């Protein structure tokens, strides 16, 4: 499976932790905020060597006479000279500063236990015993969630956990090759390999027996144990990192998890079950009705009065139909306006983006957006200026030593020395390649060189992702414009149907008076009734088959007890997550949050280097961005 697909699947699995999308804070009015970062240094086997907690207090109005609460010992103010007085677990700060940073020690048990084991060629051994050896390495990281509670589900007690989002990283040096990580991702840089995992320890057991077999694959990503394998030669010590928090935002990643989607799923299954039952009941009633119709058509030949009554009933039914269509058509204006509002919102967003990018000065309209975008794509002076501006900003971020004025030289080198490869041209400049000096002389003296640099600027901008996005924007706006037109056509059709229903109702009154004419056609109706009866039987059989082979496998996989149990467990875990706001203590009037960072005792330099090298190899890769953010947590 491709790494991108594996990562997407892991994200899908983590939607089971509903509250994971929301940072957890203490409830109530807050006089100040308190954020905790718990740093744990691990031995090679994952056991805790030391634990330090870093605290950050903040109040826009200052922290004078603010009462904090903590269980830490050996407390030190790390950022200022602000003083405090301590009475047991209470700290009173005496400063007008808006921020206070302090740290302390604790021997309190951490929420996640980590156990790391190593095996070489299938034989488990202590880390120090396999350093310098060669063979097939297996590194196993076992995670145990200590934040547990008991909840009664359908009359039985069940153990649940606080679903802390946990990121695990194992960094192997250049001595490792053929690195694999089931349920994780692998990135290789010049000298290192990183295996990264994101999981929810303990959640799999909390949900055991509550998920249908059809979604067992989701549970594959709720791992309590992750494993990395590699072939090593002269094995060097790896780095193991673990970070956990109540939200993805606390780990520096995007908010991609939403527990409410699982609650919506349980509600949707109940509704789907009810709807399918009603549909099957209706199909069964239809079979009975058509059978009765087929048997009663001959009697209808002698029952003109009964037919007349039926015509009256038809008249009543058409009255209901006209009323329904009138109600539907009454919403036409709102539907048209809503579609236009959505379209205008998209256009406004496009205008904002293009203005911020320096590509337009005046807002596009629905009548001129195509011409405006086509003008941008002609690579006019404004387009080139905007592209140049972004290239300068990007180059500055990648190599702060470069100046704005050096972009023309880089473009010239890209066109003449590196076949349109601007990155390679920048490296020539960075390394002070002699060709850079030659290029500088030509730019200063040659009009042709200046034209070459300008032509390269046009080539770079024209082939940039920004221009591809603008081409796609034109297509998207055209599709949205077509959507609005289609909505207008639909509402016009509803109005036409309503008008037709009124005409039909007028005709039904005439039908009630002319049932004698229909009397002669009952024989034909008899034939049609038989066909309708056959068709209704086929429809009933088809619905039963559809229910047995499709709907019941989706909805029937969870009975009502399972659905109730699943919702109960998810709600309880969400509440626990929202309540988990502090580790070392916080007062009730503080808005608090906490995250935990573990690492083995070796330095984080290998991880930092790997992240930088990976960025050079795969700039913008989603894993690279995630890993760089996580690595920054471990710099302590």
């Amino acid at each position: 499976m491709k790494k991108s697909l594996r990562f997407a699947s892991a994200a899908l699995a983590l939607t089971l932790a509903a509250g994971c999308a929301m940072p957890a804070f203490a409830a109530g009015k807050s006089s100040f905020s308190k954020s905790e970062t718990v740093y744990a240094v691990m031995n090679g086997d994952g056991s805790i060597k030391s634990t330090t907690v870093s605290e950050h207090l903040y109040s826009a109005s200052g922290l004078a006479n603010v009462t904090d609460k903590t269980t830490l010992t050996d407390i030190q103010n790390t950022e200022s000279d602000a003083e405090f007085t301590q009475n047991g677990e209470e700290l009173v700060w005496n400063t007008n500063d808006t921020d206070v940073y302090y740290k302390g020690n604790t021997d309190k048990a951490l929420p996640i236990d980590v156990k790391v084991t190593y095996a070489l060629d299938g034989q488990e051994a202590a880390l120090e015993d396999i350093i310098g050896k060669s063979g097939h390495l297996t590194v196993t990281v076992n995670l145990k969630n200590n934040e547990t509670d008991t909840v009664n589900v359908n009359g039985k007690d069940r153990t649940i956990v606080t679903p802390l989002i946990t990121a695990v990283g194992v960094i192997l040096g250049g001595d490792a090759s053929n690195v694999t990580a089931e349920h994780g991702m692998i990135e290789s840089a010049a000298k290192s390999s990183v295996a990264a995992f994101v999981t929810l320890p303990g959640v799999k057991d909390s949900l055991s027996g509550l998920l249908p077999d059809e979604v067992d694959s989701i549970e594959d990503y709720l791992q309590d144990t992750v494993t990395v394998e590699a072939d090593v030669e002269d094995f060097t010590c790896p780095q193991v990192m673990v970070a956990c928090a109540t939200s993805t935002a606390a780990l520096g990643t995007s908010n991609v998890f939403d527990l409410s989607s699982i609650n919506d799923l349980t509600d949707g299954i109940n509704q789907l079950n009810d709807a399918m039952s009603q549909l099957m009941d209706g199909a069964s009633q239809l079979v009975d009705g058509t059978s009765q119709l087929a048997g009663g058509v001959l009697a209808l030949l002698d029952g003109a009065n009964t037919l007349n009554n039926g015509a009256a009933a038809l008249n009543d039914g058409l009255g209901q139909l006209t009323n329904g269509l009138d109600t539907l058509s009454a919403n036409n204006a709102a539907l048209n306006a809503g579609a236009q509002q959505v379209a205008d919102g998209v256009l406004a967003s496009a205008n904002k983006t293009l203005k911020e990018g320096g590509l337009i000065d005046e807002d596009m309209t629905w009548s001129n957006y195509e011409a405006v975008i086509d003008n941008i794509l002609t690579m006019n002076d404004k387009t080139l200026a905007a592209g140049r501006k972004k290239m300068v900003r990007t180059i500055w971020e990648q190599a702060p030593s470069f100046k704005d004025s050096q972009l023309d030289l880089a473009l010239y080198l890209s066109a003449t020395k590196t076949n349109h490869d601007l990155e390679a041209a920048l490296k020539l400049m960075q390394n002070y390649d002699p060709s850079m000096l030659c290029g500088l002389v030509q730019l200063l003296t040659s009009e042709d060189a200046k034209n070459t640099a300008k032509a390269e600027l046009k080539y770079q901008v024209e082939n940039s992702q920004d221009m591809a996005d603008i081409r796609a924007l034109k297509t998207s706006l055209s599709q949205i414009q077509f959507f609005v037109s289609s909505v207008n056509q639909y509402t016009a059709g509803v109005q036409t149907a309503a008008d037709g229903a009124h005409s039909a109702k007028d005709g039904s009154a005439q039908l009630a008076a002319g049932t004698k004419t229909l009397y002669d056609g009952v024989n034909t109706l008899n034939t049609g009734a038989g066909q309708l009866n056959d068709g209704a039987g086929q429809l009933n059989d088809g619905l039963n088959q559809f229910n047995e082979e499709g709907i019941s496998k989706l909805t029937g996989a969870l009975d009502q007890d399972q659905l109730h149990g699943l919702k109960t467990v998810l709600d309880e875990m969400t509440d626990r997550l929202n309540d988990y706001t502090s580790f070392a203590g916080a007062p009730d009037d503080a808005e608090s949050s906490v995250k935990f960072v573990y690492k083995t005792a070796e330095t984080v330099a290998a991880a930092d280097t790997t992240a930088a090298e990976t960025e050079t190899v795969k700039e913008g890769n989603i894993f690279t961005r995630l890993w760089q953010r996580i690595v920054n947590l471990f710099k302590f």
Side-chain angles (χ1 to χ4, degrees), residues 387-460:
R388 177 188 179 89
K389 183 177 180 181
K390 184 167 184 179
M391 291 168 64
V392 168
R393 183 168 62 251
T394 302
I395 290 170
W396 180 259
E397 292 172 353
Q398 293 178 348
S401 62
F402 292 150
K403 304 297 183 182
D404 186 339
S405 59
Q406 293 177 284
L407 177 60
D408 285 335
L409 176 57
L411 291 168
Y412 176 77
L413 293 175
S414 175
T416 59
K417 304 295 183 181
T418 60
N419 297 321
H420 301 300
D421 190 340
L422 186 57
E423 182 177 355
L426 293 172
K427 289 181 178 178
L428 288 175
M429 295 172 63
Q430 195 173 34
N431 296 330
Y432 298 100
D433 189 280
S435 63
M436 183 270 286
L437 299 176
C438 295
L440 176 61
V441 172
Q442 291 190 39
L443 277 174
L444 294 173
T445 59
S446 169
E447 190 66 29
D448 288 341
K450 295 178 180 178
N451 291 336
T452 298
K454 183 175 181 180
E456 181 63 12
L457 172 62
K458 180 178 179 182
Y459 175 87
Q460 293 288 346

Side-chain angles (χ1 to χ4, degrees), residues 100-276:
V100 164
Y101 296 85
Y102 70 90
K103 69 177 181 178
N105 300 324
T106 182
D107 56 3
K108 183 178 177 181
L110 297 172
I112 302 294
D113 284 347
V114 180
K115 180 180 180 182
V116 186
T117 57
Y118 302 86
L120 191 65
D121 294 331
Q123 297 295 317
E124 186 172 325
L127 175 62
E128 58 270 20
D129 293 336
I130 58 175
I131 297 297
K133 296 184 179 180
S134 302
H136 185 75
L137 173 71
T138 301
V139 181
T140 302
V141 181
N142 181 268
L143 307 170
K144 179 185 176 184
N145 193 329
N146 296 320
E147 289 297 318
T148 62
D149 198 359
T150 300
V151 61
N152 190 277
V153 179
N154 298 327
K156 296 181 180 179
D157 288 340
R158 171 184 287 268
T159 299
I160 64 170
V161 298
T162 302
L164 296 172
I165 298 178
T166 303
V168 181
V170 178
I171 304 173
L172 299 173
D175 54 288
S177 60
N178 301 322
V179 182
T180 61
E182 187 177 5
H183 308 303
M185 293 187 62
I186 300 294
E187 277 294 338
S188 297
K191 297 181 180 180
S192 302
S193 297
V194 181
F197 307 83
V198 182
T199 185
L200 296 170
V203 171
K204 182 175 182 179
D205 287 341
S206 296
L207 297 176
S208 177
L210 298 178
L211 294 174
D213 293 340
E214 285 71 14
V215 293
D216 275 349
S217 58
I218 293 179
E219 295 192 46
D220 291 342
Y221 299 98
L222 304 180
Q223 299 298 309
D224 296 321
T225 300
V226 296
T227 302
V228 181
E229 297 189 44
D231 294 325
V232 295
E233 185 172 351
D234 297 330
F235 177 52
T236 59
C237 187
Q239 179 88 56
V240 179
M241 300 177 176
V242 178
C244 64
T246 57
S247 71
T248 54
L251 298 182
T253 63
S254 300
N255 294 337
V256 295
F257 313 128
D258 188 356
L259 190 56
S260 63
S261 61
I262 300 302
N263 288 321
D264 291 343
L265 172 63
T266 59
D267 294 339
I269 288 176
N270 281 325
Q271 294 173 9
L272 187 57
N273 268 328
D274 293 341
M276 192 62 196

Side-chain angles (χ1 to χ4, degrees), residues 460-602:
Q460 293 288 346
V461 174
E462 190 169 15
N463 290 276
S464 69
Q465 182 60 46
D466 287 344
M467 290 301 104
D469 291 342
I470 290 174
R471 296 184 191 99
L473 173 63
K474 180 180 177 183
T475 300
S476 297
L477 292 177
S478 176
Q479 292 171 343
I480 291 172
Q481 197 172 36
F482 177 77
F483 160 72
V484 174
S485 175
S486 298
V487 171
N488 291 334
Q489 293 177 12
Y490 161 76
T491 54
V494 169
Q495 187 59 55
T496 300
D499 294 340
H502 280 281
S503 298
K505 187 178 184 301
D506 294 338
S508 69
Q510 299 176 10
L511 176 64
T515 54
K516 182 63 175 68
T517 304
L518 284 177
Y519 184 84
D520 295 332
V522 171
N523 284 323
T524 303
L525 178 61
N526 183 48
T527 301
Q531 295 173 349
L532 179 61
N533 187 47
D534 293 340
Q538 294 174 5
L539 173 62
N540 187 52
D541 292 341
L543 283 174
N544 277 285
Q545 181 179 0
F546 177 59
N547 183 57
E548 292 173 0
E549 298 180 1
I551 297 299
S552 64
K553 288 187 177 180
L554 175 62
T555 65
L558 291 178
D559 58 30
Q560 291 301 315
D561 285 344
Q562 282 180 288
L563 285 171
H564 176 267
L566 178 59
K567 185 170 181 57
T568 299
V569 170
L570 291 174
D571 288 344
E572 289 292 333
M573 288 199 298
T574 299
D575 290 342
R576 287 182 60 80
L577 200 66
N578 291 334
D579 293 339
Y580 198 89
T581 61
S582 177
F583 177 72
D588 294 337
D589 62 341
E591 182 182 83
S592 56
S593 64
V594 61
K595 62 177 175 285
F596 299 84
V597 178
Y598 306 59
K599 71 171 185 178
T600 49
E602 291 73 21

Side-chain angles (χ1 to χ4, degrees), residues 326-340:
D326 286 342
T327 300
L328 189 61
S329 62
N331 294 316
N332 282 351
L335 183 59
N336 288 336
Q340 189 62 51

